[in-house]
Amino acid sequence: MRNKSLSDAVDGKTILITGGSSGIGLAVAQCVARAGAKTILVARGVDALQSAKDEIASLGYEAHIYPADLSDTESLEALMDRIQSDHGAIDILINNAGRSIRRSVEASFERFHDFERTMQLNYFGALRMTLLVLPAMVERRRGHVINISSIGVQINSPRFAAYVASKSALDAFTRVAAAEFAKDSVRFTTVSMPLVRTKMIAPTEFSSHVPTMSPERAADIVSKAIIRHPKRVTTFLGWLGQVVYFLFPNSTQMGLSKSFRSSQDSAAAKGVTTPQVGHSEMDNDPK
């Protein structure tokens, strides 16, 4: 028996990708559209979405675009009503949109809103989208929710407290939901993504000193998750960090503390204004 391909997994299915206008989301959209899926992209920027649609069209495929602010959870029900009215039920939801803030906790003493807005998009936005597609998945007894998380949850990355906390919440929800909906043949996958070369990491200097993955390679990881339905996808470094922290928490904390002391908050994190970026991008602005 031949191995199942991405075309086997998605041909004729409807896939919704949040944060689909650039980076990982756009790379995944190109893969699934090429494989025969009805591809729906949701992101905040209208122009970026149109560019993504045009880029996919230039490859000979089609994408449907819906601009929306996914941090405005009250508006998402109307968004999903419109999408499902236009295209029917969602077969695969990929919660990819995210906001990342690189700022130490000490620099955040008077910035509680950093934690609020990161949680609003990364957790509550993804959660709301998931809750809106689940009823139809349960009714049809099929569906797959893929949540793009971060290796930072596994290795406890210093200066990313807000981001890691929001992704940790999504990870915990995913584990519980996976157990509850297994009886309904609805699958959940967490992708603990390593650092990827996208606009999210562009504003920070540290990204030039650490290994990064291309969006195309990240899309390949997500494609394999679509095909195989694993509970979690991660890298060797992610598993290693998780195991080492579990076995040697004190030593690991000392190493993380040393790493923290050897680096600094970026200029933007310290309050120097930089161009603001949006969904699926790094947020270091001083606002």
Side-chain angles (χ1 to χ4, degrees):
M1 181 182 294
R2 69 183 180 89
N3 292 331
K4 188 177 182 181
S5 68
L6 184 61
S7 293
D8 294 328
V10 306
D11 187 30
K13 292 186 177 179
T14 302
I15 300 180
L16 193 160
I17 305 168
T18 69
S21 60
S22 63
I24 298 171
L26 177 56
V28 172
Q30 292 170 340
C31 287
V32 298
R34 187 182 301 115
K38 178 185 285 187
T39 306
I40 301 171
L41 308 181
V42 175
R44 184 173 60 178
V46 177
D47 292 342
L49 272 175
Q50 186 61 53
S51 295
K53 179 178 181 178
D54 293 343
E55 185 172 337
I56 292 173
S58 71
L59 300 175
Y61 308 104
E62 184 180 18
H64 307 272
I65 58 174
Y66 292 83
D69 182 355
L70 294 167
S71 64
D72 180 7
T73 54
E74 293 184 359
S75 70
L76 296 186
E77 185 170 355
L79 169 70
M80 285 306 306
D81 284 344
R82 189 163 70 252
I83 291 175
Q84 291 178 331
S85 175
D86 292 345
H87 305 288
I90 303 300
D91 294 296
I92 301 172
L93 169 65
I94 301 175
N95 283 312
N96 168 70
R99 176 191 292 275
S100 180
I101 295 178
R102 183 180 184 268
R103 181 176 283 119
S104 65
V105 176
E106 184 175 5
S108 306
F109 286 165
E110 298 182 6
R111 298 183 58 87
F112 184 69
H113 61 282
D114 278 354
F115 297 88
E116 290 181 306
R117 59 185 179 172
T118 307
M119 188 69 75
Q120 190 65 33
L121 176 60
N122 295 359
Y123 179 55
F124 290 119
L127 176 61
R128 187 67 173 131
M129 293 294 287
T130 301
L131 295 177
L132 288 169
V133 303
L134 275 175
M137 289 182 175
V138 170
E139 181 180 353
R140 297 184 304 147
R141 298 189 61 79
R142 69 176 187 272
H144 191 189
V145 177
I146 299 175
N147 290 324
I148 306 301
S149 185
S150 169
I151 190 176
V153 176
Q154 298 173 293
I155 64 175
N156 308 296
S157 303
R159 302 188 193 279
F160 285 92
Y163 179 67
V164 169
S166 65
K167 290 297 188 180
S168 296
L170 186 60
D171 285 10
F173 168 81
T174 305
R175 292 193 300 270
V176 173
E180 292 188 8
F181 291 99
K183 61 180 175 51
D184 302 300
S185 299
V186 177
R187 300 177 174 91
F188 288 79
T189 298
T190 295
V191 179
S192 298
M193 196 67 75
L195 203 60
V196 179
R197 293 190 297 276
T198 67
K199 294 178 182 179
M200 178 179 279
I201 69 171
T204 59
E205 296 177 0
F206 87 101
S207 62
S208 62
H209 305 297
V210 296
T212 57
M213 177 182 291
S214 70
E216 292 73 24
R217 173 61 182 137
D220 185 53
I221 291 175
V222 177
S223 296
K224 290 178 180 176
I226 293 173
I227 296 169
R228 301 172 182 171
H229 312 116
K231 296 293 181 288
R232 178 180 293 275
V233 179
T234 188
T235 61
F236 173 77
L237 181 59
W239 279 123
L240 181 63
Q242 195 168 358
V243 170
V244 169
Y245 190 87
F246 177 79
L247 294 176
F248 310 105
N250 292 335
S251 298
T252 304
Q253 181 176 291
M254 289 176 60
L256 290 170
S257 178
K258 182 177 180 180
S259 172
F260 171 73
R261 296 193 307 271
S262 67
S263 64
Q264 296 182 358
D265 286 319
S266 66
K270 293 176 180 178
V272 179
T273 302
T274 59
Q276 186 173 356
V277 292
H279 293 302
S280 296
E281 300 175 1
M282 177 69 73
D283 183 355
N284 272 320
D285 71 87
K287 299 177 183 178

